[in-house]
Each structure stands twice: as C-alpha cells, then as structure tokens.
Amino acid sequence: MTVNPSTDFYRNPEMQFRGEIPSGRIGWRSPSNIALVKYWGKKPVQLPQNPSMSITLKNAYTETVAEYMPADERGMDVVFYFHGERNEQFEKKTKNFFESMQATFPFIGQLRFVIRSKNTFPHSAGIASSASGMSALALILCDLERKYFDTFPNEEEFFRKASYIARLGSGSASRSVYGGVSVWGETEGLPGTSDLYAFPVREDIHPDFLNYRDTILLVDKGQKKVSSRAGHELMNGHPFARQRFDQARKNLEILLNALKQGDLETFIRIIELEALTLHAMMMTSDPYYLLMKPGTLNIIERIFDFRENENIPVSFTLDAGPNVHLLYPVTYRDKVMPFIENELRTFLTDAGYIDDEVGRGPEKII
Ligand code: PMV
C-alpha cells in the first residue's frame, strides 16, 4: 500500500495493546488561535495552499477530558458531553475523526471513550472552536500513545505529531498546539516549517508582541451561513486564487520581519490587509458571500479614526465571521479599554467581548 504523507506519515500498525486493555483518564486544555496571515484555500489532504501565521490565545480555550476503557464487541465508540450535556453532533464528529485516525493509532480501535469538553468562550459567540477543540483531542491521542507506547524521543516530537493530527481535524488547529507565534505551511527562509504540521516561532520575536492583547469584539452571535469548509472549496477555481496565495507568502515574510523588529506600523498594515483580503476572497467567490455585518464595518472605521486621532497603535483582524479581534500592545490597555466601552460597545451583542492576550499554549490537566 502506498503511504500518503499528508495522512499516513505517522502510520504504525504495531501500536496495539497486546495484553490487558487499560482504562484511565487523560485531559488537556488547549487554546484557540487567531491567524494574522490567513489560511484560505487547501489541497488534499488538508494541506494549505499558502503558509499561515497565528498567535495563540490565552483565555479562549477548550478543556477536554477523555475517559477510556476497553471497547466491547461493537468496537470503538465515543460518547461526548459538551458542557455537561450529551452532544450528538460533536459525538459524531469525534467518532469519525477517531475512526479516520486508526491507521496512525491502531489502539483506538480497542477502546471506547467518554469525552467531556467545555469552552471558556460562549458557544454562540461565533469564535472558531474547532482549533481549540481539535487540538485538545489530538493532544489526548498523542498522550495516550506516550503513556502506553513510549514512542516519543522528546517533547518536540510529541507536539509535532499532535500538530499533525490536529491539522487533520481542522487545519487551523495545527497552530494551537504551540504558544506564542506559530506558522503552518512550508515557508522559505524558515527552516522547520512544513505543510504537514505547524512550527513554533520561538526565537527573535520582539517582546512587545509576546504579551500582545486581543480583545474579541462579539458583533453577532448567529451561526455563519457558509462554513469554512465551503469557503476553502470556493478558492478552487477562484479567479484571484493564485495571486492570493503568492500574496500570503509575501505577507508572511514581511510580518515575520516586523515581529522580529518590533515594527508596529508594518505589523498593523499587514494584519489588516490580510483580514480584509480574506473577506474580499469571500466577496469575490462564485457564489459570493458576505460575513461582515454593519457592526463590523462601524467598528473598523472607529478603529481607523481612533488610531489616527489618538496616535494609539490599535489594529484589527477578522476570522471567517463578523467578530472583530482588536489587537494592541498591553501598554495601551488603559486607553483602549475606555475606547471599547465608550465607542465600540454599542455595536456589540449582550455577550460583549472576550478580553484575551497571547498565551503559552496547551496544558495537560489530567
Ligand atoms: O481550520 P479551518 O478549516 O476552520 O479554516 C480556518 C480558516 C481561517 O480561520 C479563516 C483562517 C485561519 O488561518 O485560521
């Protein structure tokens, strides 16, 4: 059988329990991340058309505990509780994901799982939970492997594999297994980067960016009408696809330099360009669609004005939705919080905002 590196890189038919099948519990807390250079467009299997770069968040995370025990005669099974309630949608998704992982972790087939998961951010807030949720599951699977098969020579290998597995669940999840700044996708001039897993950019980031703030302004809590999966697909045959993928590559290089130099002006220019380009791709897809809301545009205009009038380096990025991530150096917090309360609050839902910052990555909790 031919091995496809995008799915079978870690295939290991040996990894099965030979004697007694164990029971136990493993839990991980894994954060969400926000892309500064966007991944939009993919090729099989779950490989990016261009490299992306993100910051990992601190307060927006998923906590997942998996209880495992020997499977019965029906084979591998998953029961999934989300915030204490059985959730069939997540159950199905996780079961499918685990099934697809059986060439990599054959021992999964010998187990059944009861999974309890919760997010710190409101479910209806339109914050992508797939990055934190999928990375937590990937870490749990790798941790099971580490516990019973002792296959990882070091931590680095452990997290690299977790990133690879998370990527197969949701592309952006590959970046959540690392704190600080991560790059997913092969990048010229950045050795260690790969399309298969994310890479933590640890050296050389200017200290101003290591505790950067991200206040996530919740403009709309509705479910988005077009999924990311459909959005990625619309990049196939998109008239601007080629230029977009090239632009992202260049933007990543420029942004990486700005992060090293502490060049705020360039940082702001590139992340806002990336945010608006992501949405421009949606607006110029066929069929076209629009995820920004009037509140999104009102907030962006006020950010531009505030930056210019007060000379404070606030900036924004957007995910695939109407909410606005307001990014700024922590030293300006005293000025930015009143700006949010006095000028932006009026465009927000009751959920308001999530006050977040750059975080250090996932943590094992059990
Ligand atoms: O990981 P996915 O397939 O949900 O795609 C995420 C795409 C964006 O969030 C819009 C950008 C990114 O790089 O995270």
Side-chain angles (χ1 to χ4, degrees):
M1 200 200 265
T2 52
V3 172
N4 177 349
S6 73
T7 51
D8 302 329
F9 187 71
Y10 287 104
R11 178 151 29 131
N12 180 356
E14 297 304 310
M15 246 188 326
Q16 295 200 49
F17 298 116
R18 305 282 174 209
E20 197 185 337
I21 297 173
S23 301
R25 272 190 335 151
I26 289 183
W28 277 82
R29 169 185 299 165
S30 193
S32 189
N33 71 73
I34 178 70
L36 303 177
V37 174
K38 309 293 183 181
Y39 147 59
W40 201 240
K42 60 176 158 183
K43 47 195 177 188
V45 175
Q46 199 84 322
L47 298 174
Q49 288 280 12
N50 62 259
S52 56
M53 181 192 274
S54 60
I55 47 173
T56 296
L57 299 177
K58 182 176 177 186
N59 301 328
Y61 59 79
T62 298
E63 228 170 58
T64 303
V65 175
E67 213 177 316
Y68 53 92
M69 56 221 88
D72 57 24
E73 64 287 351
R74 284 167 299 174
M76 195 275 288
D77 197 23
V78 175
V79 175
F80 199 111
Y81 293 91
F82 187 61
H83 287 266
E85 280 184 28
R86 185 106 180 240
N87 186 309
E88 284 182 14
Q89 193 196 335
F90 290 166
E91 194 163 293
K92 205 166 148 215
K93 213 172 159 188
T94 307
K95 199 171 171 192
N96 288 343
F97 179 55
F98 280 15
E99 265 160 9
S100 73
M101 284 294 125
Q102 288 200 37
T104 306
F105 304 104
F107 60 83
I108 292 180
Q110 299 173 285
L111 296 172
R112 90 194 150 79
F113 299 86
V114 177
I115 296 177
R116 292 186 172 79
S117 189
K118 56 186 183 202
N119 292 343
T120 51
F121 42 97
H123 185 48
S124 54
I127 306 295
S129 54
S130 60
S132 52
M134 278 300 172
S135 54
L137 285 176
L139 286 157
I140 286 170
L141 291 177
C142 291
D143 211 4
L144 267 169
E145 172 179 336
R146 176 163 67 179
K147 186 165 176 178
Y148 294 105
F149 300 93
D150 194 22
T151 38
F152 297 106
N154 51 43
E155 287 265 295
E156 198 181 326
E157 292 292 335
F158 173 82
F159 285 104
R160 183 174 301 155
K161 181 161 181 179
S163 176
Y164 176 99
I165 302 301
R167 180 202 108 231
L168 289 166
S170 161
S172 55
S174 65
R175 300 183 308 241
S176 270
V177 308
Y178 299 113
V181 177
S182 318
V183 168
W184 169 41
E186 206 175 317
T187 305
E188 222 176 285
L190 202 51
T193 52
S194 165
D195 285 353
L196 300 176
Y197 40 75
F199 172 81
V201 186
R202 293 232 167 86
E203 303 104 59
D204 293 344
I205 300 289
H206 192 278
D208 283 0
F209 290 111
L210 293 178
N211 52 5
Y212 223 70
R213 303 295 306 189
D214 176 6
T215 304
I216 310 165
L217 305 167
L218 306 171
V219 173
D220 191 271
K221 37 184 165 183
Q223 282 275 340
K224 56 184 174 188
K225 292 199 178 64
V226 182
S227 67
S228 285
R229 175 201 290 254
H232 284 293
E233 224 156 83
L234 287 170
M235 287 305 284
N236 296 328
H238 191 294
F240 309 139
R242 190 52 40 214
Q243 294 93 317
R244 161 60 198 154
F245 303 145
D246 289 345
Q247 177 206 35
R249 255 175 231 115
K250 289 192 189 109
N251 283 347
L252 197 148
E253 198 186 318
I254 300 168
L255 187 64
L256 189 58
N257 252 325
L259 288 171
K260 290 179 179 173
Q261 308 298 325
D263 177 353
L264 270 176
E265 210 171 297
T266 305
F267 174 86
I268 292 172
R269 182 171 63 79
I270 296 295
I271 69 158
E272 294 186 349
L273 174 61
E274 278 290 313
L276 295 179
T277 304
L278 170 69
H279 284 258
M281 289 300 110
M282 299 170 186
M283 290 190 253
T284 50
S285 293
D286 184 6
Y288 50 85
Y289 64 108
L290 188 57
L291 296 183
M292 289 189 281
K293 298 280 180 195
T296 315
L297 295 180
N298 271 309
I299 289 174
I300 291 175
E301 288 199 321
R302 276 161 182 77
I303 292 172
F304 288 158
D305 289 347
F306 183 71
R307 185 160 75 220
E308 196 172 317
N309 299 338
E310 307 294 324
N311 204 14
I312 291 178
V314 287
S315 57
F316 71 88
T317 188
L318 305 166
D319 207 351
N323 300 325
V324 181
H325 289 247
L326 185 71
L327 296 166
Y328 55 95
V330 65
T331 40
Y332 293 95
R333 193 165 153 74
D334 291 354
K335 303 249 167 46
V336 176
M337 290 321 277
F339 163 61
I340 294 172
E341 286 299 336
N342 301 335
E343 292 196 44
L344 307 184
R345 179 56 104 166
T346 168
F347 304 112
L348 306 183
T349 59
D350 329 329
Y353 53 80
I354 299 168
D355 204 19
D356 214 336
E357 63 186 293
V358 175
R360 288 158 181 260
E363 256 177 71
K364 181 170 164 66
I365 48 173
I366 296 175

